[in-house]
Amino acid sequence: MASPPPLLLLRSLLFLSLPWFFISSTSSNPTPQPYVVYMGSSSNGDREDVEAAELSHLQLLSSISSRQKSQKVSLLHHYFHAFRGFSAMLMESEASELSGHEKVLSVFPDPVLQLHTTRSWDFLEVGSSDQTRSQYHHPSNDVIIGVIDTGIWPESPSFSDEGVDEVPARWKGTCMGASDFKKSNCNRKLVGARYYGIQSSSSSGTGTGTESTKVSGSPRDSVGHGTHTASTAGGALVVNASYYGLAEGTARGGLSSTRIASYKACTEEGCSGSVILKAIDDAIRDGVDIISISIGSSSIFQSDYLHDPIAIGAFHAEQMGVLVVCSGGNDGPDPYTVVNTAPWIFTAAASSIDRDFQSAVVLGNGRTFTGSAINFSNLTRSKKYPLVYAKTAAANFTPADEARNCLPGSIDRTKVAGKIVVCVDIYPMGSRKIKKLVVEDAKAKGMILIGENQNGDPFDSGVFPFTQVDNVAGYKILKYISSAKYPTATVLKTTAVSDQRPAPTVASFSSRGPGELTENILKPDIMAPGVAILAAVIPKNEPGTVPVGKEPPKFSIKSGTSMSCPHVSGAAAIIKSVHKAWSSSMIKSALMTTATFVNNEGKPLMNSSKSLANPHEIGVGEISPYRALHPGLVFETTPKDYLKLLCYLGYSQKNISSMAGYEFHCPENSGDELISDVNYPSISIGKLSRHGSARVVTRTVTNVGPANSTYIASVDSPMGLTVKVYPSKIDFRPNAGRVSYNVSFQGKEAAGGYSFGSLTWSDGRHSVRTVFAVNVE
């Protein structure tokens, strides 16, 4: 019998000698919990292999453990390519001891993050000529987007590889098989699929006392979120796609030749931070160009950069030239709710497009009111049903206020069965889905919800007749109920309405800035379509969702910054396909400085409250992918810039060096206010003293246009805020492709609070716009 490999033998000996790997079964010991142990950059040029990484992690654990021999424990995940670390089951005391180890940057409980959950691409291309678009829609482009989400449904036509070239030789990923997922499900379009399922341990049978870890699961999507985001980012062209006839047209991603690699890190219950870190490490190693993550923490519990798994993974992706795009969260419209705000992350806000989904209410007196909804009602105009206000149908001992809001247990079934029920939307604790289920469960015929749909996202009620009307229409409906002897109504099937104006507008749910960790970087970065987006889904046949005689849909309509994120990822893929040598920060800059700040009426962008939108809502504006192909100038932000930023935030030089993978020296002068000087494509000053001197920030631009160019600066600033640029004219020549300039801000006469404006450099052909946000105190 052959001898075991040296590394395997050493690992077995380590397992035998490690008292940490045995835990007493007595109830006096605390229960171990999953923790992430982050150890910085993998400075090894070839990177560690998995066995070497596992051994080093075991050695580290042996140095701090004092457990007794009884129960075996296994490590959960190893990070060894772009960065070093692992996740393991630790007791709090062990985690505390590990956090003080010289090789460890941070130790934190494994967080459970949440999902942030067509015509949209056509809408983004308004104003781009057919020649410009077709020039770059060519299947020879080999950009790979790694989508970290709930997995993928490979049979969807959005992942067909028809007309797509062979998989690039640089691709090092894999297609993991499972009982419901064949390796042959991957193709030239879907180039890879990984999963990180439930881990179980069993004896290795070698007599060494070690454990082997088996992972059960599948790359297949059982939720639908990952399939939707992946097809939005890089789906193939699918003609006549629709959601049961709604939003019919050609579904596609940003660039139909883009490759997709799927990393299943989430379930319906959420996403483990340790698994997301593993997926990021794998994606970098596999060779993706862009990573798309429609996942994030709650805005209430945001971690600092060394305890945030997405921020950690994204930093090392940036080090290795991989752009990470993330959703900004769905906790708007309150300020300070945006998440995924690390400067090295491209953070997306959500907007509407020029399409709406409407469902009409027809009253017994002939009056018709238009509501917002997605329903596949089989009701018709010719037949009306009794109409009742839920307030008058309260169950026994139920406050009328609860009944009119249609909260669980508040309605008397006998008073609403077979009728159209009118509810109001006042209590935030009762979502539209809950209200609909309450009414449907009471055997009602349909439902009218009164309340402003500021989110703009239509609720999908499936086959149940539902619509949401505004307060004005709602008042008239209630007045009709109170005045008619026998009030009746019907709710009609949804129709799609195109060419809505104004569009885009900011979605109310889209999380707002400023960022909680620092206000000296503007977040979110940019806005993209995230309301009522048609894309591929898994064909689920859930009760009440599929119309009679229909098959489960291949496409569906979803809303959230989860949907805006893959639009930005797809836009970045368009840039990467043309400018293959551009760094991630150059791509990010190109999209930011060319973003549009006007709607389809030619007026400034608005929010859901019909007020002017500001950069804490939209970042620099709405993405304009084809304008970004020729930005003229770009801002290059390097990993060294981000390391300086960490110095300014007060992180230790030792930890920053570990993140860098080399000895890094912080500037002598460090302070949060210096973050504004990081060479970012936008400018944010979190505190400008009204009585102090002018604040000067520096920026450096790189010419990516004609070698001989001259740019002139123009400033759009609010009254009272004095903004000056010097020099106001910059020249580029073949031997001088980078130029620095200064911008000064003086707020002596400015209003208190945030002021917003922009600086634009123009050479007559290119307009390079930098948005600024300045908080005057």
Side-chain angles (χ1 to χ4, degrees), residues 139-367:
S140 64
N141 296 317
D142 288 326
V143 181
I144 304 171
I145 300 177
V147 180
I148 299 176
D149 213 294
T150 62
I152 201 157
W153 193 267
E155 293 83 5
S156 168
S158 290
F159 307 120
S160 167
D161 65 355
E162 183 177 352
V164 180
D165 292 343
E166 291 301 316
V167 177
R170 64 185 175 85
W171 174 246
K172 299 177 183 178
T174 186
C175 190
M176 296 174 67
S179 60
D180 63 351
F181 196 102
K182 298 177 181 178
K183 291 188 176 183
S184 59
N185 284 139
C186 292
N187 55 27
R188 296 188 301 273
K189 178 72 170 176
L190 177 60
V191 296
R194 291 182 183 268
Y195 66 93
Y196 308 88
I198 301 171
Q199 298 193 340
S200 60
S201 298
S202 60
S203 173
S204 63
T206 61
T208 63
T210 65
E211 293 180 335
S212 60
T213 301
K214 296 181 179 179
V215 178
S216 62
S218 168
R220 185 171 293 278
D221 188 1
S222 62
V223 179
H225 192 273
T227 299
H228 198 279
T229 57
S231 63
T232 300
L237 293 168
V238 182
V239 298
N240 299 321
S242 73
Y243 182 34
Y244 295 125
L246 290 178
E248 187 170 4
T250 299
R252 63 180 176 87
L255 194 65
S256 59
S257 59
T258 299
R259 323 293 181 133
I260 296 294
S262 173
Y263 300 83
K264 183 177 179 178
C266 304
T267 65
E268 284 183 306
E269 286 71 40
C271 317
S272 161
S274 64
V275 172
I276 292 172
L277 264 177
K278 179 62 177 171
I280 294 174
D281 197 32
D282 283 342
I284 297 169
R285 188 186 194 194
D286 290 344
V288 305
D289 299 292
I290 298 158
I291 296 176
S292 188
I293 306 178
S294 293
I295 303 163
S297 63
S298 164
S299 60
I300 300 173
F301 304 107
Q302 295 192 48
S303 301
D304 73 272
Y305 300 140
L306 288 188
H307 294 81
D308 177 346
I310 294 179
I312 290 170
F315 176 83
H316 294 289
E318 176 70 22
Q319 275 188 316
M320 302 189 74
V322 177
L323 175 65
V324 177
V325 184
C326 291
S327 49
N330 301 333
D331 290 338
D334 294 332
Y336 296 97
T337 52
V338 64
V339 299
N340 292 324
T341 58
W344 47 85
I345 291 174
F346 204 0
T347 312
S351 64
S352 67
I353 62 173
D354 62 344
R355 180 177 61 200
D356 192 18
F357 298 96
Q358 298 177 354
S359 171
V361 176
V362 183
L363 301 181
N365 62 6
R367 296 199 66 179

Side-chain angles (χ1 to χ4, degrees), residues 31 39 72 171 242 280 308 330 366 406 409 472 487 491 517 587 593 603 615 637 660 690 704 739:
T31 303
M39 301 170 65
K72 301 171 184 176
W171 174 246
S242 73
I280 294 174
D308 177 346
N330 301 333
C406 298
V472 173
V491 177
L517 299 181
I587 294 171
T593 61
K603 298 176 181 178
T637 318
R690 184 190 312 279
V704 292
V739 174

Side-chain angles (χ1 to χ4, degrees), residues 14 19 24 73 80 118 142 152 236 243 408 479 514 518 524 611 614 705 755:
L14 277 166
S24 172
V73 178
F80 59 91
T118 94
D142 288 326
I152 201 157
Y243 182 34
K479 188 175 180 181
T518 177
S611 301
N614 68 60
S755 293

Side-chain angles (χ1 to χ4, degrees), residues 490-745:
T490 187
V491 177
L492 303 181
K493 181 180 177 180
T494 295
T495 58
V497 181
S498 301
D499 197 30
Q500 290 292 289
R501 294 173 181 268
T505 59
V506 188
S508 179
F509 60 75
S510 186
S511 291
R512 268 57 167 181
E516 186 176 278
L517 299 181
T518 177
E519 296 188 31
N520 291 315
I521 292 288
L522 180 63
K523 290 288 179 171
D525 288 305
I526 205 162
M527 187 170 73
V531 175
I533 304 302
L534 179 77
V537 291
I538 63 176
K540 277 187 177 181
N541 192 355
E542 295 180 340
T545 62
V546 180
V548 176
K550 300 287 187 179
E551 295 292 323
K554 294 180 180 179
F555 294 86
S556 187
I557 295 167
K558 296 180 183 292
S559 299
T561 54
S562 278
M563 284 65 247
S564 58
C565 169
H567 277 97
V568 178
S569 301
I574 293 173
I575 312 304
K576 185 70 173 179
S577 71
V578 176
H579 301 290
K580 299 183 188 300
W582 280 15
S583 67
S584 56
S585 71
M586 293 170 76
I587 294 171
K588 181 177 180 179
S589 173
L591 284 165
M592 289 178 67
T593 61
T594 59
T596 182
F597 49 95
V598 295
N599 58 33
N600 56 2
E601 295 179 327
K603 298 176 181 178
L605 294 171
M606 310 285 283
N607 59 29
S608 54
S609 300
K610 300 181 181 179
S611 301
L612 290 178
N614 68 60
H616 287 153
E617 299 174 303
I618 64 174
V620 297
E622 180 93 341
I623 57 170
S624 183
Y626 288 92
R627 286 180 62 191
L629 287 169
H630 303 289
L633 307 175
V634 294
F635 297 85
E636 294 186 78
T637 318
T638 67
K640 186 176 180 180
D641 290 321
Y642 295 131
L643 294 172
K644 287 182 180 179
L645 180 146
L646 293 173
C647 294
Y648 302 151
L649 283 172
Y651 288 92
S652 73
Q653 188 163 288
K654 173 182 173 294
N655 283 349
I656 295 171
S657 294
S658 293
M659 289 184 71
Y662 59 89
E663 189 67 30
F664 183 81
H665 298 283
C666 286
E668 289 187 8
N669 297 320
S670 290
D672 181 77
E673 70 281 356
L674 295 176
I675 293 173
S676 300
D677 281 317
V678 171
N679 200 44
Y680 208 70
S682 58
I683 298 172
S684 185
I685 298 175
K687 182 179 180 181
L688 178 65
S689 174
R690 184 190 312 279
H691 306 293
S693 57
R695 175 74 172 90
V696 179
V697 300
T698 301
R699 288 292 186 270
T700 300
V701 285
T702 301
N703 183 21
V704 292
N708 293 297
S709 301
T710 298
Y711 283 81
I712 306 296
S714 62
V715 175
D716 178 14
S717 61
M719 186 177 297
L721 182 67
T722 303
V723 183
K724 296 180 180 180
V725 185
Y726 47 97
S728 59
K729 175 183 175 182
I730 52 178
D731 295 305
F732 294 93
R733 297 294 177 262
N735 60 347
R738 302 186 81 213
V739 174
S740 296
Y741 62 89
N742 296 314
V743 188
S744 70
F745 298 89

